[in-house]
Amino acid sequence: MTTTVRVAWAAASARRIERQFLARSAETGTPAAEVVGSMLGAHAQVLSAAELSIGLRTAEATRTDVRAALWDDRSLVKTHGPRGTVHLLPSHELPLWCAALTAVPTGPSPFPPGARLTEDQADRVVTAIADALDGRFLTVGELGEEVVARTGPWAGDLVMPAFQDMWPRWRQVLHRAGQSGALCFAPNRGRKVTYTRPPRFTPVPPEEALRSLVRRYLRAYGPATSAHFAKWLAAPAGWAAGLFAELAGAGEIEEADFEGAPAWLAAGDTAFPDGPLRGVRLLPYFDAYVIAAQPRELLFPGEAYRRALAGGQAGNYPVLLVDGVVAGVWHQRRRGRRTTVTVEPLGHLTARQLRELGEQVERVGEVLEAAAELVVGKVTAGPHA
């Protein structure tokens, strides 16, 4: 008879922090792709936030190092990842990511019948995007012209409400093109975003990719439930539950008691630290840790749940992490070569914690290649400001 592993929040939090390079930064010279791989992607809708996420986890790394990995040696790729949002992913992991992401069932189209693409049209657009970007760097306008020329006028119909404008029909599947490996971001042309096609690769078989992704998610953020995984991936909850059941039946994951409720671990991955890890960390907007770590009410205890979340959504505020839980918010305002980091703790900080906070602020400045000044006080900027 097997014994169910019992895991308390403090132990789970400590292990996650260790595996995220948040207990101890990765050694100087550690490839950015290795750090991003441990995070399961760095959210990069705002590239400076991704630069901070990676730099704060790597000793002596700066935003220049992250940009070199992205644009020079191409060990990182900027594309559409989990939830269809823009991420930095390790280039060598694209065969796994693209196979897994394209195997996730999609929900109903948010567009009315007269505006949405049929499945055949969507496939044709993705193929046209891949062909148009092969060996080229195109702005979204240039790409749109190529897509319409390769598919038909229907692809260019202005049917998508976008801010105070309308976007062409083909843009409904821009994220799908990224997730399938047909498209990735290229360096900006002035202020204009450009796209290209990543190097060709052979995807991992879809079932193998999904199983691998579940195991990696559990190693990074377990114990976790299938519902936690579904939320992180923006996947249907019922589908995720079925996938976890298959993996459990195959002996690839095992059940654990996590704070009195059933959850899952990767099979055999049952070692946890003896006690909580102490320390202060600053994490930027949409850092992977605050997005993926669950249960959210334990990561954002008490007042933090109200102050550091936006309608229950994590990531909209940069957060102060104290001993593994959110204990405040912060904001940085840059002026030339200087940046002011305002930190709003939600409780008392000891002298040791204030010293560590000062070191973290200094590290933020180093990553951003600016001289940083700490101000402890009220953060007046709103979410995602």
Side-chain angles (χ1 to χ4, degrees):
M1 181 177 178
T2 57
T3 302
T4 301
V5 178
R6 296 184 182 277
V7 184
W9 165 260
S13 177
R15 192 175 83 164
R16 292 167 179 173
I17 288 169
E18 283 185 340
R19 294 184 175 184
Q20 286 274 309
F21 294 109
L22 292 175
R24 184 179 299 105
S25 297
E27 294 180 0
T28 302
T30 300
E34 180 180 334
V35 175
V36 173
S38 74
M39 300 162 63
L40 295 189
H43 191 282
Q45 195 76 36
V46 178
L47 185 56
S48 60
E51 293 166 354
L52 268 175
S53 282
I54 300 165
L56 289 171
R57 287 170 165 84
T58 314
E60 300 184 9
T62 69
R63 63 179 183 172
T64 296
D65 298 313
V66 178
R67 292 173 184 179
L70 179 59
W71 305 127
D72 298 339
D73 65 46
R74 301 299 177 94
S75 57
L76 293 177
V77 62
K78 182 181 176 183
T79 190
H80 295 269
R83 303 176 301 283
T85 53
V86 179
H87 277 68
L88 301 187
L89 299 173
S91 299
H92 72 274
E93 291 184 358
L94 280 180
L96 182 146
W97 277 105
C98 291
L101 292 174
T102 53
V104 175
T106 57
S109 171
F111 302 102
R116 70 184 63 157
L117 290 165
T118 67
E119 203 54 42
D120 176 68
Q121 287 175 329
D123 289 342
R124 289 173 62 189
V125 168
V126 170
T127 298
I129 288 173
D131 292 342
L133 291 175
D134 202 4
R136 304 169 73 191
F137 299 82
L138 302 178
T139 66
V140 70
E142 293 165 345
L143 180 57
E145 292 175 1
E146 291 281 349
V147 169
V148 170
R150 293 165 189 266
T151 56
W154 51 267
D157 292 341
L158 300 177
V159 296
M160 291 176 60
F163 307 103
Q164 273 123 26
D165 201 357
M166 298 293 285
W167 284 349
R169 191 190 310 269
W170 71 270
R171 289 188 64 169
Q172 294 176 33
V173 292
L174 192 66
H175 69 285
R176 188 190 300 192
Q179 290 180 327
S180 67
L183 165 152
C184 68
F185 288 77
N188 283 4
R189 189 190 303 165
R191 293 193 174 187
K192 291 187 175 181
V193 172
T194 70
Y195 301 98
T196 189
R197 183 176 183 172
R200 294 173 187 254
F201 57 85
T202 301
V204 173
E207 183 178 342
E208 177 185 334
L210 285 171
R211 295 162 83 98
S212 177
L213 188 59
V214 170
R215 294 192 301 269
R216 288 187 57 186
Y217 173 81
L218 291 176
R219 288 192 179 99
Y221 300 107
T225 66
S226 64
H228 294 153
F229 177 77
K231 186 178 182 66
W232 171 72
L233 202 56
W239 168 85
L243 177 60
F244 272 56
E246 289 179 19
L247 283 160
E252 296 184 45
I253 64 175
E254 61 181 274
E255 195 168 20
D257 180 305
F258 183 29
E259 287 287 332
W264 296 97
L265 295 168
D269 189 31
T270 58
F272 287 85
D274 292 332
L277 288 182
R278 304 298 182 187
V280 173
R281 284 280 181 168
L282 294 177
L283 300 180
Y285 293 111
F286 294 101
D287 187 86
Y289 182 80
V290 297
I291 296 294
Q294 295 279 359
R296 194 155 283 169
E297 62 270 17
L298 295 181
L299 178 59
F300 293 81
E303 177 65 8
Y305 200 88
R306 183 198 67 80
R307 181 67 181 94
L309 295 174
Q313 182 183 9
N316 288 277
Y317 287 96
V319 299
L320 166 67
L321 210 64
V322 176
D323 300 341
V325 298
V326 174
V329 296
W330 62 281
H331 181 263
Q332 68 97 12
R333 183 179 300 278
R334 182 162 182 159
R335 295 180 179 86
R337 297 285 297 172
R338 303 188 63 82
T339 186
T340 300
V341 178
T342 302
V343 181
E344 179 187 334
L346 297 178
H348 173 72
L349 297 181
T350 66
R352 175 185 61 82
Q353 289 168 340
L354 282 170
R355 184 175 64 254
E356 291 180 4
L357 176 59
E359 292 168 354
Q360 277 287 287
V361 168
E362 183 178 351
R363 184 73 191 110
V364 167
E366 291 170 353
V367 174
L368 296 177
E369 299 170 327
E373 172 194 17
L374 168 63
V375 173
V376 177
K378 183 73 174 177
V379 171
T380 57
H384 213 187

